[in-house]
Amino acid sequence: MEKHSYKIHTLACVALFTAGNAAIMQPFYGKSNFLAVFLLTALFSASFALLSVAVVNLAFKESDSRFRKILRYIIAAAAVLAAIYGAFSTVFDYVTFLGKAQLPQMHTALIALATLGFIVVFIKISHTAILKYCLFMAALSVAVVVLLFGVSVKLFDFAALTLDASLSGSDCALSFKCFLKYFSPILAAVLFVTLANGKTKTVNIWGGLGVGFLILLITAVQSVLILGNSGGYEFSYLYAVSVFSSGNLFSRLDGFVYFLFFATVTVKIAVCAKLLPLIIRRLVYAKHF
């Protein structure tokens, strides 16, 4: 039987996983030196992803050596913690967004229950179906981001954008905090694609990170150019897009933003949720684990 590499699927998966709940919360918007914070956070994430790929490929290489067996359990435990944190933090941010902005009239408990239903579905479906879902949603999400940026150009106030790449101690601390809060679960994504596909290449992970951070950069820049960088908006990208009006056909473009947020958070939740049964299956059934 022919084995599919799913290289582009892996890239798409990591891209939306990276954007995740950060696309909703926009952690770089409102920072006085947001470009430096963005670049340093991306550097922290890329370095951690490189380390994750190297350690995961070493630990999960088919071998019966005691060192690799011990390392597998350590990495599996760390990835489980990362997946649990990634899933719950993403669910919390998304439910908060739905309750405050998209569906304020709906009870929070019902929103949380529906989100948990998604998690159950993702656990039950195959990992190949999740990878294909990632590719489909990534293509649409990139198109949405480019479209919304393009139609908003005429509203941009370029005076609001200050490009300062200088770094201070507070910028470094803020970047590392941002990395821990939104991007440290990348270990879960690396292990997911490894268990789903047999091996992970750094170029695919870095490519996905690059696309994910590009999505975040475009949405952050659009928010700054339209709203300014005061940081006075909890969901800045939604409000930045809501400002745009184009006659009767597209009087409101909020629906595109809702789709983007849905795509990024469901992929992150799906990967985190599906990783758990993949690890359990590997622990129980794989002879070399």
Side-chain angles (χ1 to χ4, degrees):
M1 182 180 292
E2 182 182 357
K3 184 178 179 180
H4 299 283
S5 63
Y6 292 108
K7 293 180 181 179
I8 188 66
H9 299 75
T10 297
L11 190 149
C13 174
V14 175
L16 292 188
F17 187 95
T18 300
N21 49 330
I24 298 176
M25 306 309 295
Q26 291 293 316
F28 307 112
Y29 171 76
K31 304 299 183 290
S32 59
N33 196 7
F34 96 92
L35 179 61
V37 174
F38 172 85
L39 292 176
L40 194 55
T41 303
L43 179 61
F44 284 143
S45 302
S47 301
F48 184 66
L50 176 62
L51 177 63
S52 298
V53 172
V55 173
V56 167
N57 283 336
L58 175 64
F60 286 81
K61 184 177 181 180
E62 295 190 8
S63 170
D64 291 328
S65 69
R66 179 168 296 183
F67 169 75
R68 282 200 173 95
K69 287 182 179 178
I70 295 174
L71 187 59
R72 285 170 196 158
Y73 281 101
I74 294 174
I75 296 301
V80 166
L81 292 177
I84 292 174
Y85 168 73
F88 275 96
S89 63
T90 303
V91 168
F92 177 81
D93 288 341
Y94 190 52
V95 169
T96 300
F97 165 75
L98 292 177
K100 289 184 177 181
Q102 185 175 350
L103 300 171
Q105 71 280 4
M106 183 176 291
H107 198 280
T108 304
L110 294 177
I111 298 174
L113 186 62
T115 307
L116 290 175
F118 274 112
I119 295 177
V120 173
V121 171
F122 287 134
I123 290 176
K124 290 192 174 186
I125 64 177
S126 68
H127 57 268
T128 55
I130 291 179
L131 288 172
K132 292 175 182 178
Y133 172 80
C134 291
L135 179 60
F136 176 72
M137 297 301 275
L140 293 179
S141 297
V142 171
V144 164
V145 170
V146 172
L147 171 66
L148 295 180
F149 188 86
V151 298
S152 302
V153 168
K154 67 179 184 179
L155 298 176
F156 288 171
D157 178 14
F158 291 96
L161 186 63
T162 56
L163 301 179
D164 183 5
S166 61
L167 291 172
S168 65
S170 60
D171 291 332
C172 293
L174 187 60
S175 299
F176 190 68
K177 181 179 178 181
C178 184
F179 158 73
L180 290 177
K181 185 174 182 180
Y182 294 103
F183 308 109
S184 58
I186 191 64
L187 173 62
V190 171
L191 186 53
F192 168 78
V193 296
T194 300
L195 295 180
N197 200 34
K199 188 177 181 181
T200 304
K201 291 185 177 181
T202 305
V203 65
N204 296 330
I205 300 298
W206 272 6
L209 275 173
V211 174
F213 272 103
L214 182 59
I215 291 174
L216 294 176
L217 179 60
I218 292 174
T219 55
V221 168
Q222 183 172 344
S223 299
V224 171
L225 291 178
I226 293 180
L227 303 175
N229 200 31
S230 62
Y233 299 89
E234 186 174 6
F235 308 110
S236 59
Y237 185 60
L238 173 64
Y239 290 110
V241 171
S242 297
V243 169
F244 179 78
S245 177
S246 181
N248 295 326
L249 183 59
F250 291 112
S251 58
R252 293 295 293 268
L253 298 177
D254 297 11
F256 288 100
V257 180
Y258 297 155
F259 169 81
L260 175 66
F261 291 170
F262 176 82
T264 58
V265 300
T266 52
V267 166
K268 190 168 185 177
I269 293 171
V271 169
C272 291
K274 189 61 181 179
L275 176 63
L276 302 182
L278 282 178
I279 290 178
I280 293 173
R281 191 175 301 116
R282 187 74 178 263
L283 281 168
V284 174
Y285 297 110
K287 294 181 180 180
H288 57 269
F289 193 94

